[in-house]
Amino acid sequence: METLSVALGERSYPIYIGGGLLAQLGALLPKLAGKQVLVVTNTTIAPLYLEKVQSALHGYEASSLVLPDGEQYKTLDTLNQIYTALLERKHSRSTTLIALGGGVVGDITGYAAASYQRGVDFIQIPTTLLSQVDSSVGGKTGVNHPLGKNMIGAFHQPKAVIADTDCLSTLPERELSAGLAEVIKYGLIRDTQFLDWIERNMSLLRGHQSEALGYAIKRSCEIKAEVVAADEREGGVRAILNLGHTFGHAIEADQGYGQWLHGEAVGAGMVMAAVLSQKEGYLSQADIDRTQAIIEAAGLPVAGPPNMTENDYLERMAVDKKNIDARIRLVLLQALGDAVVTTNFDQTNLRATLDDCTA
Amino acid sequence: METLSVALGERSYPIYIGGGLLAQLGALLPKLAGKQVLVVTNTTIAPLYLEKVQSALHGYEASSLVLPDGEQYKTLDTLNQIYTALLERKHSRSTTLIALGGGVVGDITGYAAASYQRGVDFIQIPTTLLSQVDSSVGGKTGVNHPLGKNMIGAFHQPKAVIADTDCLSTLPERELSAGLAEVIKYGLIRDTQFLDWIERNMSLLRGHQSEALGYAIKRSCEIKAEVVAADEREGGVRAILNLGHTFGHAIEADQGYGQWLHGEAVGAGMVMAAVLSQKEGYLSQADIDRTQAIIEAAGLPVAGPPNMTENDYLERMAVDKKNIDARIRLVLLQALGDAVVTTNFDQTNLRATLDDCTA
């Protein structure tokens, strides 16, 4: 087992990564604030892991809530189901929520914890590659609004993250690929050595080889933890973690949440960011080819959906959270491994990029 | 004009109190994060003061949203109307929300600001006595759930509070009385000299005399600012600000939000807290008589609604935010001017109190 720490002063917390962690959950859980616990999970994950988690909570007043599975349920309505369960079961401010599942369960449960009685504790047990490398780390929580992804939310750090790599053995191909999009992102924004490693180990990763996945998760969490520790509330550098996400969020919202997986949309979005970076004079054609090749090798789309127009993108991108007043801000690559956040790019280049990258 | 400061480090902010402040709003506003501003108000307040506020925002991209008036609209649905307006108007994370109205507008707008894009700035312009002395100060924001008041929310401090006492000239009697409940509360929990002053000046206060109201607001905000600065997130002493509120919230929720005004429910609730304090051996009969007399003099009820049973109260009180696990915590008075938060009271005394205080 690897243990990382996210260094955020009194809000610091550990990330445990390894095989067989669910079986030793009782020993890994931090001291809880009170006796009440609500485990929130979904219909896919509950039959696989809920019993294991519940048996580790012997001695607590623990119960569970099973949500429908899918990004289309990451809404205020689903959030309200969690509040209702907590209130019906008379959970006090000393309760602890446990998010058992992928990014949707983590984001919505974390936000329920941030806002129930103005804030209670929560613990992340991410069960997908995407959530193990990305959404369970860093304290971003929230739900979608029909007009924009993650538009409602809070920064709320978990008390611990427990990433059992054994959970990935049951992960469908498509979701594994979606998780690899974020792994690749860490290489592209910050670490070309890691990018090399991903390229060399792609077939092991896609073959669910646990040692390779374990290293990819550890290195991804390390990079994310470093960036988050430097800028917890995204006043500056943290925004580089959104490489490809502004384009990707536009795709997800336009196609309807749950149609394109988040990682798939980010895959295509990272190609768009790279192409725009080239048009702005930063990247070479070889850099673009390399970026496309690794994203394609991960089993991800390298272009947006055929039915999306330039204006569809621009309309959606105008409400991105990184924007200042009404100016679109994007993460571009000055070089592979060196990302920058900027409003300083040519609108014509942006439009040309959207054209180039539509399938 | 009086200027107080709420001392919360980098989250410190000023409270301006006085007559004619809306006319000089442009000079009082702090530097805003960006050009976008959304003024949120309600159907009662908009015709009275919205134009004044908008004219002070010359040079900004300011627009407004008018909500229905009443506690029954302090819901997730109304909150979602604010998110939709912000997204349709493409407001970025550098927007500023301005809450123009009473406690409901302040709480819901503050919570929209806490959660829109994970947090944007907001400014409070409270227009009722209740909101000027209480809900606009201290950073508690949120909405109600059908199963409990203020169960969904966040701590989010405003950038400034501008309390124009001239707004109180249009305040209906019933709402003035409701605001006086919180004024009396500050005396009861912390300052018997202030309690004396309120008793002596009750007829001036109820007669809308602006000098008396100005002093009552200033002294109330001073006490609240002191308590909040000592305990921003209510880990301890801050909970004394909830004197009478656990009983009061039960009444409001049971009767249906908007039927009993918050201040009315708190008035009856403070009598209940005093009576239980007597049964627990803290207060004398003279203290109870004095407490009842001042609450009655303010035009407030001194008993709960006739159709509420002991069990109605206990069921509602079991989900109060102050509770630890499932144990009810209450604010009691060790003496007038000296409040304490405790789970240590006799259940039989609590039941007897509820019986005694039902009309």
Side-chain angles (χ1 to χ4, degrees), chain A residues 71-89:
Chain A
E71 182 83 29
Q72 65 272 38
Y73 299 106
K74 195 172 135 182
T75 61
L76 278 181
D77 279 348
T78 308
L79 181 68
N80 202 27
Q81 286 180 35
I82 303 180
Y83 298 138
T84 300
L86 288 166
L87 286 165
E88 282 176 350
R89 299 170 201 186

Side-chain angles (χ1 to χ4, degrees), chain B residues 176-339:
Chain B
L176 189 78
S177 289
L180 288 173
E182 298 283 353
V183 175
I184 293 166
K185 179 193 77 179
Y186 293 110
L188 287 173
I189 60 173
R190 195 89 167 186
D191 186 348
T192 49
Q193 274 195 307
F194 185 42
L195 201 64
D196 295 340
W197 181 92
I198 300 166
E199 287 170 324
R200 287 196 310 273
N201 291 276
M202 188 62 88
S203 59
L204 293 177
L205 291 167
R206 293 195 67 188
H208 293 78
Q209 206 263 348
S210 62
E211 205 176 308
L213 285 170
Y215 178 74
I217 294 163
K218 173 179 165 265
R219 186 64 198 130
S220 295
C221 289
E222 274 173 359
I223 293 173
K224 180 151 191 183
E226 254 174 55
V227 173
V228 168
D231 176 21
E232 184 179 2
R233 295 179 70 91
E234 198 168 311
V237 65
R238 180 169 175 164
I240 66 169
L241 294 173
N242 290 303
L243 177 71
H245 282 57
T246 307
F247 299 102
H249 288 169
I251 295 172
E252 286 181 84
D254 181 88
Q255 299 291 298
Y257 294 120
Q259 297 304 306
W260 277 55
L261 295 181
H262 175 65
E264 292 169 341
V266 167
M270 290 192 297
V271 175
M272 294 177 192
V275 168
L276 179 55
S277 300
Q278 185 204 24
K279 291 187 195 298
E280 290 289 316
Y282 296 138
L283 295 190
S284 67
Q285 184 59 45
D287 292 331
I288 300 295
D289 294 344
R290 187 177 173 197
T291 303
Q292 284 199 340
I294 190 170
I295 290 168
E296 198 158 17
L300 294 164
V302 294
N307 62 347
M308 262 186 91
T309 65
E310 266 176 53
N311 284 338
D312 291 338
Y313 280 98
L314 294 173
E315 179 74 14
R316 300 279 180 184
M317 290 165 74
V319 293
D320 187 78
K321 288 193 294 301
K322 286 184 297 301
N323 297 347
I324 294 180
D325 288 331
R327 291 165 67 203
I328 295 175
R329 265 170 104 212
L330 289 174
V331 185
L332 297 182
L333 294 171
Q334 296 183 293
L336 296 187
D338 181 13

Side-chain angles (χ1 to χ4, degrees), chain A residues 19-20 52 70 171 260 276 294 300 350:
Chain A
K52 259 191 187 165
L171 196 67
W260 277 55
L276 179 55
I294 189 170
L300 293 165
L350 173 58

